[in-house]
Amino acid sequence: MTTTTKPLRYVLSRLYPGAFASYRGVVFRVIGPEGGSLPGISSDTKQTLDALRRLATDDGKRLIAKAATKLQKAISFDSGRLIANLEEMNLVIPKKVDLRFDDSLDIVYCTDPACGTMDRLKYFKNPPKDRLPLCRVCRKAAVQQAPVVTPQRRISATASYGLIGDPSQTVIRNIGERQIFCPYSRVGDRCNHPQGDGKCVHDFMLKLGSLRMDDPQRPVDSLKRYNPHCPKGLEVPGFPLDRPPRTGTNWYRLDFPRESMTAPLQVSSVEEYSKASDSEVELINAGLKETMPLVFNSNLITLSESKFSRLNVLEATYGYRVGNRFSGVSSYYLDGNDNSVLGRLTDTQGFVLSLGKPFDTRLEEIRQSSFKSEQFENLKEIALHSIKHALLVLVPMMTGLDPDRFYGSYDLLPDGGKVFVYDTDEGGNGGFATLMRDTRSFVSMVKEMRRRLDCPTRECLNACKQCLFIKNCGNVNRKLNRSVLLQLDLFVPS
């Protein structure tokens, strides 16, 4: 698969090294034979060199410095690790992506409950590339990929900074196919089966066991192992799949392979710039000058600096979270040597929301009244991140474009901050330009955005899919709080 087949933004958010990817119902993983920190990715040499030349300018160095600061903060928050020389990160723009089976995805079992025989795809001769083959034993039903074991971070281990984020803990394991599927077998050729003679015969050891799903409504929990190959013909009931024991930092769960088992960890940095004569930007901002006071609180937002603008954007995927977006374990591509990250440099356009010193003052009042245990800087980051999500969550619906066509970033400033939301296509895709040119649509979107913060469907504690979650959040929808935005009174009530 190449980046001409899929947009580059899609590759950064879905096809990074280590990611699961589904193709026609078959789950693969981005891996490859090459060494280094980005296996499965072949770089686009021309685009990568061009981006590095642009990053060598003064504007580019500012983008790198912002990204490096955000990277270190994100990694420190997640794992406590410190990585050296992040300002010298090696930006790699991908050209070709390899989707392959690795050992964790290679085990399959027959979907016919009467058979259920386990197998490995690599044992099949010339299997079809776009679908799973028929079982080699019964030759009637197609095989299905077996569950895998994924690590989950234990909440009580969040203080064990040196351990969390260790790449050795992010291994996805298969359930094993050469096991003796018999709970009666014991050490020393003994057999505890009530109808047996006390002796176990092991000539079935190299045969594959079977898996059967007892309840389709509980596809993982009801999956049991069977041993249909007992040489003595003894009946062996099914018993649950084993999983690794808990460790000091992780527990493990069984789940069927799916794309959502990995989520990208990303940062972005943005710099505004202007052209000598830019009629499109000037026209849109002339309309926004009248619209902004109708929807935004001018006491907190610096309206004169909040505008539609040209933007230079650096996006970097620096690792992934495996197992679960919230409780999974993080792994990073950065190692302190070449510090390779998958990314791109884009000249695009979007909206900039500027918040001045009154924003900080109001946020400190909120912290003192409702979030006393939270450090001010952390609460400020939560607020800016939540504002970014609020500005993005309805844009796909209002424009009719895919969520991957929009993204955002924010800067923490000594007095206030800035939030950027923008088109992800080079030069812009017209999404934000069209939305902000249409005053009625823009006002309608912001008012609906304010209404959603009340989360009338779920009344969630911090944030959820009904209010602030977005599909492609680089921080996997963490550090969000709708209550902070409600107390800020950032938006003019309807």
Side-chain angles (χ1 to χ4, degrees), residues 27-67:
V27 178
F28 298 84
R29 205 171 186 198
V30 180
I31 52 176
E34 63 276 359
S37 56
L38 301 175
I41 299 294
S42 299
S43 68
D44 187 318
T45 305
K46 183 177 181 301
Q47 285 198 48
T48 298
L49 290 175
D50 180 60
L52 292 176
R53 280 193 291 268
R54 290 167 63 187
L55 290 172
T57 64
D58 290 341
D59 287 346
K61 288 177 182 177
R62 284 194 291 271
L63 284 173
I64 285 283
K66 280 186 182 181

Side-chain angles (χ1 to χ4, degrees), residues 316-353:
T317 299
Y318 64 93
Y320 62 94
R321 173 162 287 177
V322 62
N324 182 284
R325 284 179 175 267
F326 301 103
S327 62
V329 180
S330 299
S331 181
Y332 317 114
Y333 308 136
L334 303 108
D335 56 13
N337 295 319
D338 60 358
N339 282 338
S340 293
V341 294
L342 208 63
R344 66 171 184 165
L345 189 60
T346 312
D347 182 345
T348 186
Q349 53 190 14
F351 178 59
V352 182
L353 191 69

Side-chain angles (χ1 to χ4, degrees), residues 43-286:
S43 68
D44 187 318
T45 305
K46 183 177 181 301
Q47 285 198 48
T48 298
L49 290 175
D50 180 60
L52 292 176
R53 280 193 291 268
R54 290 167 63 187
L55 290 172
T57 64
D58 290 341
D59 287 346
K61 288 177 182 177
R62 284 194 291 271
L63 284 173
I64 285 283
K66 280 186 182 181
T69 300
K70 291 182 178 181
L71 268 174
Q72 189 58 77
K73 178 179 267 187
I75 293 172
S76 250
F77 176 82
D78 204 36
S79 68
R81 293 174 60 188
L82 295 176
I83 298 178
N85 306 319
L86 283 180
E87 293 80 4
E88 301 173 9
M89 72 179 72
N90 180 31
L91 185 71
V92 175
I93 298 177
K95 182 176 183 180
K96 181 183 176 185
V97 179
D98 286 345
L99 301 181
R100 302 186 179 196
F101 284 105
D102 64 3
D103 286 341
S104 65
L105 299 172
D106 201 28
I107 295 184
V108 295
Y109 69 99
C110 181
T111 54
D112 184 350
C115 178
T117 302
M118 294 179 66
D119 210 338
R120 273 192 181 272
L121 282 174
K122 66 183 180 183
Y123 295 161
F124 287 80
K125 293 182 179 179
N126 304 315
K129 296 181 179 180
D130 58 347
R131 55 188 170 84
L132 291 168
L134 295 178
C135 174
R136 292 193 303 160
V137 176
C138 71
R139 300 193 178 277
K140 295 178 181 179
V143 298
Q144 175 179 341
Q145 286 173 286
V148 294
V149 179
T150 60
Q152 311 288 313
R153 187 175 64 189
R154 297 182 66 175
I155 297 176
S156 60
T158 53
S160 303
Y161 291 127
L163 300 175
I164 300 169
D166 184 345
S168 66
Q169 299 182 33
T170 63
V171 176
I172 296 176
R173 309 178 190 181
N174 59 49
I175 60 175
E177 90 279 20
R178 288 178 179 259
Q179 303 181 55
I180 302 175
F181 283 8
C182 183
Y184 301 112
S185 179
R186 295 293 184 269
V187 178
D189 295 331
R190 292 186 296 111
C191 174
N192 286 354
H193 197 289
Q195 279 80 47
D197 59 5
K199 294 183 179 180
C200 182
V201 180
H202 292 292
D203 60 359
F204 60 89
M205 280 187 63
L206 297 183
K207 293 185 179 181
L208 302 177
S210 294
L211 291 180
R212 296 180 192 172
M213 189 184 300
D214 292 344
D215 183 359
Q217 300 299 319
R218 299 183 300 117
V220 177
D221 294 338
S222 70
L223 204 62
K224 293 184 178 180
R225 298 186 292 176
Y226 287 83
N227 171 28
H229 306 296
C230 178
K232 296 184 176 182
L234 299 174
E235 183 178 351
V236 179
F239 59 104
L241 295 170
D242 292 333
R243 68 186 74 189
R246 294 191 178 201
T247 68
T249 56
N250 298 331
W251 62 280
Y252 296 89
R253 66 179 293 183
L254 288 166
D255 200 356
F256 284 99
R258 62 189 73 189
E259 288 185 347
S260 60
M261 285 174 58
T262 48
L265 299 171
Q266 298 173 313
V267 294
S268 60
S269 58
V270 181
E271 283 286 312
E272 301 175 65
Y273 77 94
S274 59
K275 295 181 178 179
S277 177
D278 199 333
S279 57
E280 180 186 25
V281 171
E282 291 171 0
L283 178 63
I284 293 173
N285 282 327

